[in-house]
Amino acid sequence: MDVGKIILQSVIANRLYTISEEMGAALEKSSRSPIFAEACDFACGVTNNRGELISQLNGIPILAAAGSFSVQAVLEKYKEGIEEGDVFIINDPYMGGNHLPDIGIVTPVFYEKELIFFTVSRAHHGDIGGAVAGSYNTGATEIFQEGIRIPPTRLVKENNLCDDVLELITYNTRNSKMMKSDLFAQAGANKIGSERLIDMLNKYGLKEVREAAEELLLKAEELTIKGISKFPEGTYEGEEYLDDDGFSDKPVKIKASVTFKKQEVTIDFSESDKQVTGFINSGLVTTKSAAYIALLWALSPDIPRNSGAFKPIKIIAPKGSVVNPNSTAPVTLSTLHCASEIISAILKACALAVPQKIPAGFGRYCGPSFYGIDPRNNNFFVGFGFCCLGSGGGKEGQDGFPYMAPISNYGGVRAPNNEANEVQYPILTLNHHLVMDTAGAGKYRGAPGVKYEIQFYGHDTNIVMFGDGMKIPPYGLKGGKEGSLNSNKLCTQEEVLHLKSKTSPLPLKCGDTLTLISSGGGGFGNPLKRDINLVYEDYINGYISLDSALKDYGVAITPQGIDIEETLKLRKMEEKS
C-alpha cells in the first residue's frame, strides 16, 4: 500500500472517531435529564451496514460495546425493509439491549440510495416504567416487572415521526415529557453523525471510505491477535462473587476460564451459577460486552474498541446461567452487577499470567434512587445517587483513582456537582468527602472511599437502594490488601436503619437523612514495599491514620515526621514474620 493511501485511511479513521465524539457532545448539550446532561450515562457510535461497530465514543463502556448488538437486532428484524429516513428504537435485553432503562436509537445512513452505515446512540433514561420509579425494582422476579420492553421498532418512517409509537412508549413512563425530549436528543445526535458521514463520503468517495472502515476492523483484529500471542498459552481461571441477589443471602458466583491460544482466546463461563431470582442476571449482550471490556483491557489500551477487536474473542455462556438467563429473568442491575463481577473474574484470571497489567479490585456501586414530589414546583422527580461512587484499585506503578464509576462504567459516569443536585432535587448535601482508612493497602494502594450524606425535604419521597459490595470487598493483588465495604445509615425521625444493598422502596419524611460510605479500591503489592515518603504523604492528606501507617505499612510517624530508625526496624520484623 502506498504512503498516500495509508495517510488517507488514517485521516478517514480519525474522522470516524471524531464523528462519534461530536455525537456525544451534541447529546450531552441537547438533553434535559440530569442522567444525560450531567452524568453522561450514554454512548454513541458508528457501525457499517452489517452492524459491526467501527467507531465509538466510549462514554459508558458497557453501553458502547453493545451498540453493534442493537443494530444487528434491527437488521435481523427488518432485513431489506430498512429505508432512507427511518429511525429505530430498541431496549429489550434479550434482543440487542443491555437492560430496559438503556434505550438505543438506531439511524441508517444511505448514500446514493445504498445503505452504508448506521449511527447509534444508547442512553440510560431516568424511568422506563415498571413497578418502581427509576426502574431499579429490587423485588422484580421477571422482566415484565422492570418496565416496558421495546423490541426493534421503527420510530421514524421516511422522516415522519410515528407519533403513536412514541406515545405508547412514553405513556408507560413516569416522566413522559423528559423522556420524549431525551429521545429527540438521541435522534438529533444520530442525525448529526449521519450528516457528518455524508459529508465525509462526499469528500473522499464511497470506495475510499468503505476501504478505510474495513481496514479499521482488520487492524483492530490484527492488534488483538498480536496481544493474545504475547500471553503464555494455557487456561487461567478467575472467580468473583456478588453479595446476593436480593432474595437469598447466598453469594452468587461468576467463574471465568480464559484460554489463550496463538490467535484467539476463549472465555468460558460454564462454571458460573445458574440464573437467580433477582435482577442481577446478565443478558448475553451485557455479558459479551463486559467480557470484551475486560479482555481488551488486559491486552492493550492501543487496540481500537470495535467489532474487529471482538472477533478473536470467543465466549461460552450456557443458557439458563446467571450470565445468560432465560428471556423472562429480571436483569436491570446487571450493567453494574454482575457486569462488574464478570470483568473482575476475567481480570483475576489474566492476572495469573500478566499481573503487571491488571488492577486490583474496584469499589462496587451501592446507592439509592429516590423519587417523589418536589415541593418547590409540585413536579414528580426521580433522582440517583451518582455522588456516592466508590474508588479504583491500585496497579503496578500507580495508585488507584478516587471517586470512580464501577469498573463496568470505568471512567464513564460523571458525578454531578452537589449544587446542581440541590437545584434539581429536593435534597441538601450535608457531607461529601474522602474517608480515612478505606483504601486497600499496598505498594500501590487503592483509593479511599467517599462519605456522602444528604437530607430529604420533598413530599411523599421514597428511596430504593440498589447495588452490591456490602459483604464482599474489592480484591487485592500481589500481596495488596482488600478495599473496604460499602455501608449506609438512614436516620428517620423514628429510628436508625442500615439498609441492605438491595432494598425495596421505603417512604421518607421531610428531614430524614441518608449517609453512604462507598468502598475504597484494593491494593496492589506488598504494603511494606510502599515508599515511606508516600505513606507519610497519605497520612498528611488524611487518607490513612497513624494506626494504619504503623500496622499496614510498617511506618512510624511522630509529630516531627517519619521515625526512620523505628520504621526500618518494624519493616524488618514484619518481613521476617
Side-chain angles (χ1 to χ4, degrees), residues 14-33:
N14 187 68
R15 187 72 188 101
L16 285 165
Y17 288 127
T18 59
I19 287 171
S20 294
E21 290 176 351
E22 188 175 356
M23 289 171 63
L27 181 50
E28 178 184 354
K29 300 301 182 184
S30 61
S31 57
R32 286 184 56 202
S33 65

Side-chain angles (χ1 to χ4, degrees), residues 192-383:
I192 287 174
S194 300
E195 290 172 351
R196 300 297 182 267
L197 289 167
I198 296 297
D199 290 343
M200 183 177 65
L201 287 161
N202 284 332
K203 183 172 183 178
Y204 298 112
L206 176 57
K207 180 177 180 293
E208 296 292 349
V209 171
R210 206 173 234 159
E211 286 180 359
E214 292 300 317
E215 183 65 22
L216 263 177
L217 296 175
L218 182 61
K219 184 66 175 178
E221 184 177 2
E222 290 174 350
L223 288 172
T224 302
I225 291 171
K226 182 179 178 181
I228 290 169
S229 68
K230 292 180 180 179
F231 267 71
E233 288 196 25
T235 298
Y236 306 91
E237 296 182 342
E239 287 185 1
E240 188 61 291
Y241 290 83
L242 292 89
D243 288 348
D244 52 58
D245 73 336
F247 286 85
S248 166
D249 288 333
K250 181 183 176 183
V252 180
K253 180 177 73 173
I254 307 294
K255 184 171 181 179
S257 297
V258 185
T259 301
F260 286 89
K261 295 182 180 178
K262 287 185 178 180
Q263 295 197 340
E264 70 174 26
V265 60
T266 301
I267 303 172
D268 188 349
F269 294 103
S270 295
E271 294 185 60
S272 297
D273 280 348
K274 300 294 185 184
Q275 71 180 68
V276 294
T277 304
F279 66 161
I280 66 169
N281 297 291
S282 175
L284 190 57
V285 168
T286 298
T287 294
K288 286 186 174 182
S289 299
Y292 297 151
I293 291 168
L295 201 280
L296 292 174
W297 189 342
L299 293 181
S300 171
D302 299 324
I303 300 172
R305 270 47 177 174
N306 64 35
S307 290
F310 306 156
K311 284 185 179 179
I313 306 171
K314 313 302 179 186
I315 296 168
I316 300 172
K319 193 67 175 174
S321 68
V322 70
V323 295
N324 188 11
N326 294 309
S327 62
T328 59
V331 297
T332 296
L333 191 58
S334 65
T335 56
L336 297 171
H337 310 290
C338 61
S340 291
E341 288 69 36
I342 291 169
I343 294 170
S344 294
I346 294 170
L347 290 178
K348 280 185 172 181
C350 293
L352 298 175
V354 288
Q356 71 278 7
K357 288 189 173 185
I358 308 301
F362 277 47
R364 303 185 187 188
Y365 181 81
C366 189
S369 62
F370 44 88
Y371 58 91
I373 304 298
D374 190 330
R376 298 168 297 182
N377 52 30
N378 288 320
N379 289 335
F380 184 80
F381 69 90
V382 179

Side-chain angles (χ1 to χ4, degrees), residues 447-568:
V450 172
K451 179 178 181 179
Y452 180 54
E453 184 178 13
I454 53 177
Q455 185 176 58
F456 300 92
Y457 64 87
H459 299 323
D460 303 318
T461 302
N462 287 268
I463 185 173
V464 177
M465 285 293 295
F466 60 93
D468 206 78
M470 292 184 69
K471 302 174 186 176
I472 299 172
Y475 60 87
L477 276 182
K478 299 293 288 183
K481 295 191 176 183
E482 295 175 335
S484 60
L485 294 168
N486 288 309
S487 64
N488 66 69
K489 180 174 65 175
L490 176 64
C491 296
T492 72
Q493 297 171 28
E494 292 82 22
E495 58 185 336
V496 175
L497 301 171
H498 296 279
L499 306 178
K500 293 182 178 180
S501 61
K502 302 163 187 71
T503 300
S504 297
L506 290 174
L508 299 176
K509 293 181 180 178
C510 182
D512 290 351
T513 63
L514 176 68
T515 303
L516 301 156
I517 307 291
S518 66
S519 55
F524 185 98
N526 185 349
L528 297 176
K529 300 294 185 182
R530 185 167 179 78
D531 187 311
I532 60 175
N533 292 308
L534 293 178
V535 175
Y536 183 68
E537 187 176 307
D538 289 341
Y539 164 68
I540 294 298
N541 288 332
Y543 297 161
I544 63 173
S545 63
L546 284 172
D547 189 55
S548 175
L550 193 67
K551 291 184 177 179
D552 293 327
Y553 294 97
V555 176
I557 298 175
T558 71
Q560 289 73 41
I562 301 170
D563 185 332
I564 298 294
E565 185 178 342
E566 182 65 15
T567 295
L568 294 176

